Amino acid sequence: DTGVSQDPRHKITKRGQNVTFRCDPISEHNRLYWYRQTLGQGPEFLTYFQNEAQLEKSRLLSDRFSAERPKGSFSTLEIQRTEQGDSAMYLCASSSYLWATTDTQYFGPGTRLTVL
Amino acid sequence: QKEVEQNSGPLSVPEGAIASLNCTYSDRGSQSFFWYRQYSGKSPELIMSIYSNGDKEDGRFTAQLNKASQYVSLLIRDSQPSDSATYLCAVNRASVMRDMRFGAGTRLTVKP
């Protein structure tokens, strides 16, 4: 399978616990994005990387959220001290951005987080 | 005003009909526009992208873009029950920040 993969697909945790999600992008893609989606809403941008550099972070990304892409390949998103409001689908997308202004993103299957 | 607005629906059409989905956006400098399909509990799947004013056709799908009116639409011809899903409009802003902004989606139901 050469698409974007995410692990785990589902995570149930208790409030206050830390969780970490992993995303493996399409192999030749240099950009990697994290989004959060709640029921009835479109995905909301959290952050993105170009290679290993984290270039942008949304205001939605509180201090409890941290993302890394240490070698410019896979990425991890960690949420510390989870809250019930963190319950959502966390989506990863990747794209191959070169010199053009277009940026077509392909999504992974998502990680559904439930905070009890 | 939301940055990307879509009618939430649900939009219901009979099998074989044309489904018309609409989207407006607020950032006049937006450069690229996308339609994603999302089945319940699944991740968004890219259907079409459009960058220039006019129509772009791909099989049963036609995307239409009018930058002057800040409007983008998706037409689905010969709608099938398998087209029943939520359709997300996404806009790539022309600022330094390269995030994509999504509408809340329009839920389409195609009835046999």
Side-chain angles (χ1 to χ4, degrees), chain A residues 3-62:
Chain A
V4 180
S5 62
Q6 292 186 245
D7 184 69
R9 297 289 303 276
H10 303 273
K11 179 69 176 179
I12 299 174
T13 191
K14 293 183 179 180
R15 188 177 54 185
Q17 298 295 305
N18 299 343
V19 295
T20 300
F21 310 141
R22 175 178 171 128
C23 172
D24 287 87
I26 294 171
S27 60
E28 65 270 21
H29 282 185
N30 58 348
R31 282 194 169 179
L32 187 149
Y33 299 76
W34 285 100
Y35 291 86
R36 178 172 65 190
Q37 186 177 25
T38 54
L39 195 63
Q41 300 298 315
E44 294 176 301
F45 169 79
L46 294 178
T47 188
Y48 90 95
F49 294 83
Q50 181 156 317
N51 300 313
E52 66 275 9
Q54 188 174 16
L55 297 187
E56 294 290 347
K57 291 195 293 185
S58 166
R59 292 187 301 273
L60 294 174
L61 210 67
S62 76

Side-chain angles (χ1 to χ4, degrees), chain B residues 6-28:
Chain B
Q6 298 180 251
N7 290 329
S8 61
L11 173 66
S12 181
V13 300
E15 184 174 356
I18 296 175
S20 178
L21 305 164
N22 304 316
C23 172
T24 57
Y25 59 95
S26 60
D27 187 339
R28 189 169 286 278

